Amino acid sequence: MDSLRCFSRRGSFLIITDLHDVRRLLLGFVFGADLGLIVLAIASGFYFFAEIAGIAVFGLLAWWTAEFLDASLLWWALGSFVAFAVLHAGFCISPKITAARKTPWQLQNLVPLLPLALIWLCVWHEQDSAVVWLAVFLINIVVLTLALRTASSPLVLIALVGTLIAVGLWIEFGSARIDDLDAFLGVTAGTGIFFFSAGMFLTRRLTSGAGNMQRAIPALGAGMPFLLLLMVVAKLPSLSPTPILGVAFLLAILLLGLAIVTRANWIAAVALVGAWSVEREWHTMHFSLLNPAIPFGWYVVFALLFIGCAFFAQKGEQLPWAVSAIAGALHFWLIYDLVYSAYPQLQNGLFPAAFIIPYAFGVFFLIKRQGVTPASGDARLAWQGGAALLFVSLIFPIQFDREWITLGWVLEGLALIWFFRKVPHRGLRLVGAGLLCVAFARLALNPAVLEYHKRSGAKIWNWYLYAYGIGSVCSLMGAKLFGPPRENVLERIGRPLLYSLGTILAFLLLNVEIADYFSIGPTLTFSFSGNFARDMSYSIAWALFAFALLLVGMKQKNGFVRYAGLGLLLVTLAKLFLHDLGSLNQLYRIGAFIGVALILIVVSFVYQRFLAPSRAK
């Protein structure tokens, strides 16, 4: 009767609630049946029996774990998961199975990985004590052994993903709180280090079929935990940067070391993306002015780590120097934002000048130590020189504060086009022209830029003049410096495009200054009615600008510029006749007509004298 009391019915399932019966179920019935089917599969040669048995036992264990697992049964459950992995891994590497295997990759090799999904259920039910991670470690050891014996690298990759999912579920749904941050970070770092070491071990031990898969496992092992760090940063309300950034720094060192040893330089790029993402996430969510020196120190250390990694790269490698250049720009963004908030006294032109030093040394190192000649157009020299010019171009706009990002793009674009004359790497010109186009879009196509700063009391001589003026001048100078070669479409349209952008910015500056002169209040307002002086100022300015375009077109013998000037002049005349003259009385209207007639006579004379085709033609 006692044994019968241990059983109850729920639908069509037999529910076992006594601890003794649970043990007997797990160790007696389930694994007895599983072992019997494995032996039968080996003896009969029908190896799919083992796969069917494994899937069936997994389903039963998953159902029991989801329904009945609690803290008192956790040890028995985890022991069953590990035993399941060992049993089916042993089947996969048994002599008969090894002899019958035609390829390293078999479906039956996936069965020992199924216990990781059972671990997900444990964590989902907040069974996240240290013994759970001991079971995860043992399962991964079993999978690593199986991968070595079967020369199947994808097994390690799948185990890595499964383990990271388990850690991610722990971070998202686990019962740990802020005071368990060390446990979070310990498991995260341990996962990265374990799979990094396992991947390196596999890469050295497996000689057949090595390829990219085995080389990628160490990088993924140390790189994917960055995602877990991002989850930790997003989940916890407030924390010190040292534990989070310390783990990120350790993972970055592992990846950079792997990149240098294996010459797989893309791993350095993965390290930069992962580490900077963690830094940026922490800075966005948790930075405060209470103790800014600690994150400031970490950002500087990360910047120096990635900038300096290029000096240890193999000779001739280009990607590490690109990573070095990009790392400086990304970390400058973080450090400047911190300095802007916490140390405003350091916000001057000397701040970006400090970033020039490592890149100037990089240029010196490449020329003097590695024998790179500027005329060769070496990409390494282009990256380092371009990064140095970036921070040179930021000195002026940061010193004057207004629109420093946009002006930095403009000056950097012009500097890269000029730098092409010294280091003829075509990417320099294309990137420079692209930066000028982006800056143009921000100044011309983003009306909100006029509202970012309040109007100053100064007329004409204000931030509009230097922002739009520098943008226009740099675009025009960039077009002038945009010389040959012009072998593709982008290079052929580069020069006229930059001339056009510079001219449009100059025209916009003219209108912005007129609007600012007649505006009242803290914001800039555009209006073309209600004020005769303002309306006529627009018309006269447009006419003079159109006349200037005609003169430039004549001198350069450029029909497009002349047609643009004529088109603007027609628009000006239409505005004058249809809008401006309607608000005047008869006497002023007669005077305006006489002025318009004089302008048209001058324009027609100039056009006939210099532009009309000769009778001989």
Side-chain angles (χ1 to χ4, degrees):
M1 294 295 296
D2 293 336
S3 61
L4 291 177
R5 294 192 186 98
C6 298
F7 297 87
S8 62
R9 284 281 182 181
R10 181 182 297 174
S12 59
F13 292 98
L14 189 64
I15 310 302
I16 301 174
T17 58
D18 185 77
L19 181 59
H20 174 72
D21 293 306
V22 171
R23 295 173 183 175
R24 185 169 60 186
L25 169 68
L26 294 177
L27 300 180
F29 176 73
V30 175
F31 288 102
D34 193 14
L35 180 61
L37 287 174
I38 289 176
V39 172
L40 178 62
I42 295 175
S44 64
F46 297 105
Y47 301 131
F48 64 90
F49 283 171
E51 299 173 11
I52 296 174
I55 294 173
V57 172
F58 166 75
L60 183 59
L61 288 176
W63 169 77
W64 179 87
T65 302
E67 290 287 335
F68 302 109
L69 181 64
D70 56 27
S72 63
L73 301 176
L74 183 62
W75 278 88
W76 287 97
L78 296 176
S80 302
F81 302 162
V82 175
F84 179 87
V86 171
L87 190 61
H88 283 272
F91 168 77
C92 293
I93 61 176
S94 61
K96 291 188 66 175
I97 301 300
T98 303
R101 182 179 293 112
K102 297 180 181 179
T103 61
W105 178 252
Q106 297 284 344
L107 181 61
Q108 60 199 13
N109 292 348
L110 293 176
V111 177
L113 290 166
L114 294 177
L116 287 176
L118 301 176
I119 297 293
W120 302 347
L121 292 175
C122 291
V123 178
W124 185 278
H125 285 276
E126 297 188 355
Q127 301 297 327
D128 50 11
S129 64
V131 68
V132 173
W133 306 110
L134 175 61
V136 172
F137 175 75
L138 294 176
I139 293 171
N140 281 313
I141 290 293
V142 172
V143 173
L144 177 61
T145 304
L146 178 61
L148 282 172
R149 293 295 302 271
T150 60
S152 180
S153 299
L155 287 179
V156 182
L157 183 59
I158 298 173
L160 167 63
V161 175
T163 304
L164 290 176
I165 292 175
V167 180
L169 290 173
W170 180 39
I171 294 173
E172 187 66 25
F173 302 106
S175 60
R177 297 294 183 261
I178 297 175
D179 53 357
D180 293 323
L181 178 62
D182 292 339
F184 278 130
L185 299 179
V187 172
T188 300
T191 301
I193 294 173
F194 173 80
F195 281 100
F196 174 85
S197 305
M200 290 294 293
F201 183 70
L202 272 176
T203 302
R204 293 178 178 274
R205 289 294 300 270
L206 298 181
T207 56
S208 61
N212 294 328
M213 177 64 72
Q214 293 171 14
R215 288 194 293 267
I217 291 174
L220 293 173
M224 291 183 71
F226 285 119
L227 298 176
L228 302 179
L229 289 178
L230 291 174
M231 294 179 63
V232 171
V233 173
K235 182 181 176 65
L236 301 182
S238 63
L239 57 131
S240 169
T242 299
I244 293 288
L245 299 184
V247 174
F249 187 75
L250 174 62
L251 295 174
I253 290 177
L254 290 177
L255 287 175
L256 291 177
L258 178 64
I260 293 172
V261 171
T262 62
R263 302 188 67 176
N265 296 310
W266 61 271
I267 298 177
V270 172
L272 174 60
V273 172
W276 188 82
S277 298
V278 174
E279 294 175 74
R280 180 63 183 172
E281 183 77 3
W282 185 91
H283 184 81
T284 302
M285 301 192 66
H286 302 295
F287 173 73
S288 68
L289 298 177
L290 297 178
N291 194 3
I294 295 177
F296 178 82
W298 274 112
Y299 298 159
V300 171
V301 168
F302 273 99
L304 293 177
L305 173 67
F306 286 103
I307 291 174
C309 71
F311 295 92
F312 299 94
Q314 299 289 335
K315 189 173 182 180
E317 299 288 349
Q318 297 182 359
L319 187 56
W321 296 96
V323 171
S324 172
I326 297 172
L330 293 177
H331 285 89
F332 176 83
W333 184 12
L334 276 180
I335 297 173
Y336 178 82
D337 191 64
L338 185 149
V339 169
Y340 182 83
S341 302
Y343 306 106
Q345 67 276 12
L346 298 179
Q347 186 188 348
N348 52 52
L350 294 177
F351 177 67
F355 278 76
I356 301 173
I357 299 174
Y359 294 109
F361 180 75
V363 172
F364 173 82
F365 178 84
L366 289 171
I367 294 176
K368 298 297 183 181
R369 295 296 182 89
Q370 296 197 1
V372 178
T373 57
S376 64
D378 193 287
R380 296 171 294 170
L381 201 58
W383 278 108
Q384 293 293 292
L389 290 174
L390 169 64
F391 296 110
V392 170
S393 63
L394 288 176
I395 293 176
F396 176 79
I398 286 181
Q399 182 68 38
F400 289 92
D401 187 33
R402 300 290 180 89
E403 296 303 313
W404 68 270
I405 294 179
T406 305
L407 291 181
W409 293 341
V410 169
L411 295 171
E412 172 69 0
L414 176 62
L416 291 178
I417 294 174
W418 168 83
F419 193 49
F420 173 79
R421 293 173 169 250
K422 306 297 181 182
V423 180
H425 187 279
R426 289 184 172 177
L428 291 172
R429 283 198 311 180
L430 296 180
V431 173
L435 288 174
L436 290 171
C437 292
V438 172
F440 169 82
R442 179 176 172 82
L443 291 173
L445 305 179
N446 179 25
V449 73
L450 299 173
E451 302 175 0
Y452 291 159
H453 311 287
K454 293 183 178 180
R455 292 178 56 245
S456 62
K459 302 293 185 181
I460 308 300
W461 193 259
N462 46 36
W463 77 269
Y464 304 118
L465 179 63
Y466 91 79
Y468 284 83
I470 291 176
S472 176
V473 170
C474 288
S475 296
L476 296 174
M477 293 181 62
K480 187 175 180 60
L481 294 174
F482 204 98
R486 302 189 187 98
E487 297 181 359
N488 53 49
V489 176
L490 294 177
E491 291 179 336
R492 285 193 291 270
I493 68 173
R495 190 169 192 174
L497 175 63
L498 294 180
Y499 271 130
S500 302
L501 299 184
T503 304
I504 294 173
L505 285 178
F507 184 68
L508 287 176
L509 173 60
L510 185 66
N511 288 271
V512 167
E513 290 291 1
I514 295 174
D516 177 71
Y517 189 88
F518 289 98
S519 294
I520 300 174
T523 59
L524 186 71
T525 56
F526 284 93
S527 179
F528 295 94
S529 61
N531 188 319
F532 172 70
R534 180 181 56 204
D535 295 345
M536 291 305 298
S537 296
Y538 280 121
S539 299
I540 293 172
W542 291 4
L544 293 175
F545 196 89
F547 192 67
L549 289 178
L550 287 173
L551 293 177
V552 172
M554 287 187 293
K555 184 177 181 179
Q556 299 293 332
K557 297 181 180 181
N558 191 315
F560 293 104
V561 179
R562 295 199 304 269
Y563 296 145
L566 287 174
L568 180 58
L569 185 59
L570 292 176
V571 172
T572 304
L573 293 174
K575 176 181 179 295
L576 188 62
F577 277 106
L578 301 178
H579 180 270
D580 298 340
L581 297 182
S583 60
L584 300 179
N585 56 37
Q586 292 184 353
L587 181 62
Y588 288 107
R589 191 175 300 173
I590 293 172
F593 273 117
I594 295 174
V596 171
L598 291 175
I599 294 175
L600 292 177
I601 290 172
V602 172
V603 171
S604 62
F605 171 76
V606 172
Y607 190 83
Q608 289 292 332
R609 177 66 178 82
F610 296 100
L611 301 180
S614 64
R615 293 180 179 272
K617 291 184 179 180

